[in-house]
PDB file of all heavy atoms in Angstrom:
ATOM      1  N   GLN B 430    -142.476-163.145  86.771  1.00 97.00           N
ATOM      2  CA  GLN B 430    -143.066-161.922  86.218  1.00 97.00           C
ATOM      3  C   GLN B 430    -142.417-161.596  84.882  1.00 97.00           C
ATOM      4  O   GLN B 430    -141.206-161.772  84.705  1.00 97.00           O
ATOM      5  CB  GLN B 430    -142.852-160.741  87.177  1.00 97.00           C
ATOM      6  CG  GLN B 430    -143.182-161.057  88.638  1.00 97.00           C
ATOM      7  CD  GLN B 430    -144.621-161.463  88.847  1.00 97.00           C
ATOM      8  OE1 GLN B 430    -145.526-160.925  88.224  1.00 97.00           O
ATOM      9  NE2 GLN B 430    -144.824-162.435  89.727  1.00 97.00           N
ATOM     10  N   LEU B 431    -143.225-161.120  83.947  1.00 98.00           N
ATOM     11  CA  LEU B 431    -142.739-160.689  82.648  1.00 98.00           C
ATOM     12  C   LEU B 431    -143.002-159.201  82.485  1.00 98.00           C
ATOM     13  O   LEU B 431    -144.140-158.753  82.665  1.00 98.00           O
ATOM     14  CB  LEU B 431    -143.433-161.451  81.506  1.00 98.00           C
ATOM     15  CG  LEU B 431    -143.210-162.955  81.429  1.00 98.00           C
ATOM     16  CD1 LEU B 431    -143.981-163.536  80.255  1.00 98.00           C
ATOM     17  CD2 LEU B 431    -141.721-163.269  81.284  1.00 98.00           C
ATOM     18  N   THR B 432    -141.965-158.468  82.141  1.00 98.00           N
ATOM     19  CA  THR B 432    -142.085-157.036  81.952  1.00 98.00           C
ATOM     20  C   THR B 432    -141.844-156.689  80.485  1.00 98.00           C
ATOM     21  O   THR B 432    -140.738-156.938  79.970  1.00 98.00           O
ATOM     22  CB  THR B 432    -141.082-156.264  82.833  1.00 98.00           C
ATOM     23  OG1 THR B 432    -141.271-156.639  84.205  1.00 98.00           O
ATOM     24  CG2 THR B 432    -141.265-154.763  82.671  1.00 98.00           C
ATOM     25  N   GLN B 433    -142.859-156.187  79.831  1.00 98.00           N
ATOM     26  CA  GLN B 433    -142.739-155.825  78.432  1.00 98.00           C
ATOM     27  C   GLN B 433    -142.474-154.333  78.298  1.00 98.00           C
ATOM     28  O   GLN B 433    -143.008-153.513  79.057  1.00 98.00           O
ATOM     29  CB  GLN B 433    -144.058-156.124  77.693  1.00 98.00           C
ATOM     30  CG  GLN B 433    -144.133-157.491  77.086  1.00 98.00           C
ATOM     31  CD  GLN B 433    -145.390-157.699  76.279  1.00 98.00           C
ATOM     32  OE1 GLN B 433    -146.292-158.418  76.720  1.00 98.00           O
ATOM     33  NE2 GLN B 433    -145.471-157.079  75.106  1.00 98.00           N
ATOM     34  N   SER B 434    -141.669-153.977  77.311  1.00 97.00           N
ATOM     35  CA  SER B 434    -141.433-152.571  77.008  1.00 97.00           C
ATOM     36  C   SER B 434    -141.197-152.381  75.506  1.00 97.00           C
ATOM     37  O   SER B 434    -140.638-153.284  74.864  1.00 97.00           O
ATOM     38  CB  SER B 434    -140.234-152.024  77.799  1.00 97.00           C
ATOM     39  OG  SER B 434    -139.080-152.741  77.480  1.00 97.00           O
ATOM     40  N   PRO B 435    -141.633-151.244  74.921  1.00 97.00           N
ATOM     41  CA  PRO B 435    -142.479-150.274  75.602  1.00 97.00           C
ATOM     42  C   PRO B 435    -143.910-150.783  75.711  1.00 97.00           C
ATOM     43  O   PRO B 435    -144.241-151.825  75.161  1.00 97.00           O
ATOM     44  CB  PRO B 435    -142.402-149.070  74.649  1.00 97.00           C
ATOM     45  CG  PRO B 435    -142.290-149.702  73.294  1.00 97.00           C
ATOM     46  CD  PRO B 435    -141.419-150.930  73.496  1.00 97.00           C
ATOM     47  N   SER B 436    -144.746-150.086  76.424  1.00 97.00           N
ATOM     48  CA  SER B 436    -146.158-150.485  76.523  1.00 97.00           C
ATOM     49  C   SER B 436    -146.951-149.956  75.344  1.00 97.00           C
ATOM     50  O   SER B 436    -148.049-150.445  75.035  1.00 97.00           O
ATOM     51  CB  SER B 436    -146.769-149.995  77.827  1.00 97.00           C
ATOM     52  OG  SER B 436    -146.592-148.603  77.963  1.00 97.00           O
ATOM     53  N   PHE B 437    -146.396-148.970  74.674  1.00 97.00           N
ATOM     54  CA  PHE B 437    -147.052-148.358  73.536  1.00 97.00           C
ATOM     55  C   PHE B 437    -145.995-147.876  72.546  1.00 97.00           C
ATOM     56  O   PHE B 437    -144.959-147.353  72.969  1.00 97.00           O
ATOM     57  CB  PHE B 437    -147.893-147.160  74.030  1.00 97.00           C
ATOM     58  CG  PHE B 437    -148.526-146.357  72.939  1.00 97.00           C
ATOM     59  CD1 PHE B 437    -149.768-146.708  72.456  1.00 97.00           C
ATOM     60  CD2 PHE B 437    -147.879-145.262  72.392  1.00 97.00           C
ATOM     61  CE1 PHE B 437    -150.364-145.958  71.443  1.00 97.00           C
ATOM     62  CE2 PHE B 437    -148.462-144.512  71.383  1.00 97.00           C
ATOM     63  CZ  PHE B 437    -149.702-144.863  70.902  1.00 97.00           C
ATOM     64  N   VAL B 438    -146.251-148.109  71.264  1.00 97.00           N
ATOM     65  CA  VAL B 438    -145.339-147.602  70.251  1.00 97.00           C
ATOM     66  C   VAL B 438    -146.165-147.101  69.066  1.00 97.00           C
ATOM     67  O   VAL B 438    -147.128-147.740  68.652  1.00 97.00           O
ATOM     68  CB  VAL B 438    -144.308-148.672  69.822  1.00 97.00           C
ATOM     69  CG1 VAL B 438    -144.992-149.909  69.267  1.00 97.00           C
ATOM     70  CG2 VAL B 438    -143.309-148.132  68.828  1.00 97.00           C
ATOM     71  N   SER B 439    -145.768-145.948  68.567  1.00 96.00           N
ATOM     72  CA  SER B 439    -146.430-145.379  67.398  1.00 96.00           C
ATOM     73  C   SER B 439    -145.467-145.493  66.218  1.00 96.00           C
ATOM     74  O   SER B 439    -144.313-145.063  66.317  1.00 96.00           O
ATOM     75  CB  SER B 439    -146.767-143.889  67.666  1.00 96.00           C
ATOM     76  OG  SER B 439    -147.420-143.337  66.564  1.00 96.00           O
ATOM     77  N   ALA B 440    -145.915-146.126  65.160  1.00 95.00           N
ATOM     78  CA  ALA B 440    -145.013-146.379  64.038  1.00 95.00           C
ATOM     79  C   ALA B 440    -145.774-146.271  62.716  1.00 95.00           C
ATOM     80  O   ALA B 440    -147.012-146.288  62.693  1.00 95.00           O
ATOM     81  CB  ALA B 440    -144.393-147.766  64.175  1.00 95.00           C
ATOM     82  N   SER B 441    -145.028-146.164  61.646  1.00 95.00           N
ATOM     83  CA  SER B 441    -145.617-146.040  60.314  1.00 95.00           C
ATOM     84  C   SER B 441    -145.461-147.334  59.538  1.00 95.00           C
ATOM     85  O   SER B 441    -144.578-148.156  59.857  1.00 95.00           O
ATOM     86  CB  SER B 441    -144.938-144.913  59.549  1.00 95.00           C
ATOM     87  OG  SER B 441    -145.060-143.684  60.221  1.00 95.00           O
ATOM     88  N   VAL B 442    -146.297-147.503  58.528  1.00 95.00           N
ATOM     89  CA  VAL B 442    -146.165-148.644  57.628  1.00 95.00           C
ATOM     90  C   VAL B 442    -144.757-148.626  57.023  1.00 95.00           C
ATOM     91  O   VAL B 442    -144.268-147.587  56.585  1.00 95.00           O
ATOM     92  CB  VAL B 442    -147.230-148.607  56.522  1.00 95.00           C
ATOM     93  CG1 VAL B 442    -146.969-149.675  55.460  1.00 95.00           C
ATOM     94  CG2 VAL B 442    -148.631-148.764  57.124  1.00 95.00           C
TER      95      VAL B 442
END
Side-chain angles (χ1 to χ4, degrees):
Chain B
Q430 312 301 321
L431 296 180
T432 304
Q433 269 185 252
S434 60
S436 54
F437 174 87
V438 59
S439 182
S441 301
V442 172

